[in-house]
């Protein structure tokens, strides 16, 4: 369970998160949407301690993120993260990208880590790309390697930050299919995405974020059929064209 | 046609050795200092950032020959004891070249996106593991061509140490010239020697550049 309690964050004078209170329960898939600049990425980065925040608390699996006594490195092992621009290590092959953390952090042997990595590459559908460098992979393939890299730590939670918005349209589905499988297997996921097909298929709930606030929270039906606020109505009409 | 060179070959080669020694000391000190200067230039601590930045801007805007002069002639006046040309030249070169290496390292560190580092952290890697396996290897690959080029420039710069009487290759060629009066062949020989060394170096730099470009790491 991810508990976000009264979280506020400022960049200088600019308040990027305004008193956020949300709970993501075990095995839930929650989609976060909202206009660019509304603070979605910042919220995700606060959850695994990549960004500090000034007020409130975030508790992941019973462990408080913003507690100086928390071993944040240990906590991050349980929280996988996938980025908009993949962020694969350019000097390593797909296999090396996936095995680095299991070897260095979990202290797996190289052989164990590679077996685990190959299983994951099969799961995301590109075992034949194991020895390719990121530069030789398409965007969709790179993002699938990035998902495999996160899964190699066997996390309990996954954070996705617009995983398909840097992809060409024909590659979006191959990445979403992997995410849909994960959601159906019961991974606890928080996904920033505007892919409403994905939201309809697997999201338990949708959060709508605007100007640093969670403005609406509801199921797919509730959010799209009966948006309560003008801002949400506006946003929906924009993403549905 | 290189008779004067052949007659004084070992004397001249001794000068080349001093040139190499000076360049090696300058690099052995200048590159590690440059790594720190680079870190200082991206530091968020203003007590580190400003002093380092002033140092870099000051040194980069005065000619090297003045730095060499200053250390050799002014330091003894301040400290009250004279200093040998070689250590004096080494200190000048380290102080000077570190500012150039520092800017190369700064660019290398800055070329790595924050989210790439975040991606490493997100898998549970610690700060030092991330620096060791991600930041430094990538920065180093990207900087390799510039590091080699700056090293070649350093080697060429060492000839300026002749102004404080250091008997490196150029200085020795001029000593021989005073006796033999064979300026064209002597300084021609010096030029060819520098050319061969530096050209080889720039070829190696080009090779790395190509390699990095092909691997799309840039
Ligand atoms: N490091 C930072 N320093 C200052 N402002 C930032 C920083 N990161 C993000 N912001 C600002 O915070 C706001 C929210 O950014 P972000 O969380 O990336 O939004 P989103 O992901 O919803 O597009 C934006 O206005 C952005 O300019
Ligand atoms: Mg964002």
């Amino acid at each position: 369970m991810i508990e976000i309690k009264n979280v506020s964050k400022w960049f200088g004078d600019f308040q990027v998160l305004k008193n956020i209170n949300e709970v993501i329960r075990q095995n839930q898939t929650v989609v976060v949407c909202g206009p660019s600049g509304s603070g979605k990425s910042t919220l995700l980065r606060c959850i695994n301690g990549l960004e500090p925040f000034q007020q409130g608390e975030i508790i992941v699996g019973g462990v408080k993120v913003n507690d100086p006594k928390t071993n944040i490195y240990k906590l991050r092992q349980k929280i996988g993260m996938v980025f908009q621009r993949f962020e694969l290590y350019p000097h390593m092959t797909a296999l090396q990208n996936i095995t680095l953390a299991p070897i260095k952090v979990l202290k797996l042997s190289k052989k164990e880590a590679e077996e685990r990595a190959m299983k994951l590459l099969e799961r995301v559908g590109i075992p034949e790309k194991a020895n390719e460098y990121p530069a030789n992979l398409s965007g969709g393939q790179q993002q699938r390697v990035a998902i495999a890299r996160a899964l190699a730590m066997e996390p309990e939670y996954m954070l996705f930050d617009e995983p398909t918005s840097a992809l060409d349209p024909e590659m979006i589905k191959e990445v979403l299919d992997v995410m849909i499988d994960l959601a159906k297997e019961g991974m606890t996921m928080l996904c920033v995405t505007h892919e409403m097909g994905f939201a309809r298929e697997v999201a338990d709930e949708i959060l709508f974020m605007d100007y640093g606030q969670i403005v609406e929270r509801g199921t797919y039906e509730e959010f799209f059929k009966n948006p309560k606020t003008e801002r949400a109505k506006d946003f929906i009409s924009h993403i549905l064209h | 046609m290189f008779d004067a060179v052949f007659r004084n070959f070992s004397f001249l080669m001794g000068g080349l050795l001093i040139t190499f020694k000076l360049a090696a000391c300058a690099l052995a000190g200048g590159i590690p200092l440059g790594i720190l200067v680079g870190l200082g230039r991206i530091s968020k601590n203003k007590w580190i950032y400003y002093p380092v930045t002033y140092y870099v801007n000051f040194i980069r805007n005065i000619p090297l020959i003045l730095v060499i002069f200053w250390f050799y002639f002014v330091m003894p006046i301040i400290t009250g004891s004279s200093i040998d040309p070689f250590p004096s030249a080494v200190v000048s070169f380290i102080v000077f070249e570190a500012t150039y290496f520092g800017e190369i390292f700064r660019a290398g560190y800055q070329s790595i996106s924050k989210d790439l580092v975040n991606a490493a952290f997100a898998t549970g890697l610690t700060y030092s593991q991330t620096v060791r396996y991600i930041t430094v290897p990538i920065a180093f690959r990207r900087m390799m061509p510039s590091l080699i080029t700056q090293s070649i420039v350093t080697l060429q710069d060492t000839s300026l140490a002749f102004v404080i009487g250091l008997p490196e290759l150029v200085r020795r060629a001029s000593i021989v010239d005073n006796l033999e009066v064979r300026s064209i062949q002597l300084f021609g020989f010096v030029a060819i020697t520098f050319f061969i060394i530096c050209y080889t170096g720039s070829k190696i730099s080009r090779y790395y550049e190509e390699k990095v470009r092909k691997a799309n790491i840039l």
Side-chain angles (χ1 to χ4, degrees), chain A residues 45 48 50-51 73 76-77 79 81 83 87-92 100-101 104-105 135 149 153, chain B residues 113-116 118-127 129 133-134 137-138 141 215-217:
Chain A
R45 285 200 293 263
N48 64 354
L50 292 174
E51 286 273 6
Y73 298 114
R76 283 186 191 135
Q77 297 171 25
I79 311 172
M81 187 161 188
F83 296 80
E87 308 301 345
L88 293 180
Y89 315 133
H91 60 310
M92 294 184 185
L100 181 70
K104 301 300 174 193
V105 179
R149 176 177 65 183
M153 295 299 289
Chain B
S113 82
K114 209 173 156 212
D115 267 345
L116 188 73
N118 278 341
F121 284 155
T123 62
L125 290 173
T126 62
Y127 181 81
Q129 287 172 326
Y133 300 114
I134 309 297
I138 297 173
R141 278 171 172 78
N216 236 326
I217 294 171

Side-chain angles (χ1 to χ4, degrees), chain A residues 136-155:
Chain A
N136 300 328
L137 300 176
S138 72
Q141 291 166 341
Q142 287 187 60
Q143 194 61 298
R144 285 185 281 163
V145 173
I147 294 173
R149 176 177 65 183
L151 293 177
M153 295 299 289
E154 302 189 329

Side-chain angles (χ1 to χ4, degrees), chain A residues 9-12 14-17 32-45 51 84 161-162 192 194 209-212, chain B residues 114:
Chain A
K9 175 176 171 66
W10 287 261
F11 284 120
F14 172 67
Q15 187 170 6
V16 56
L17 300 177
V32 182
C33 62
S36 161
S38 56
K40 306 179 297 294
S41 300
T42 305
L43 179 63
L44 286 200
R45 285 200 293 263
E51 286 273 6
Q84 183 172 356
D161 192 359
E162 306 205 34
V192 176
H194 295 154
M209 195 163 180
D210 199 15
Y211 294 110
Chain B
K114 209 173 156 212

Side-chain angles (χ1 to χ4, degrees), chain A residues 20 24 69 84 108 119 126 145 151-152 186 209-210 219 240:
Chain A
I20 304 220
I24 292 98
K69 290 198 282 295
Q84 183 172 356
L108 295 193
K119 282 205 192 96
I126 41 173
V145 173
L151 293 177
M209 195 163 180
D210 199 15
T219 62
L240 298 181

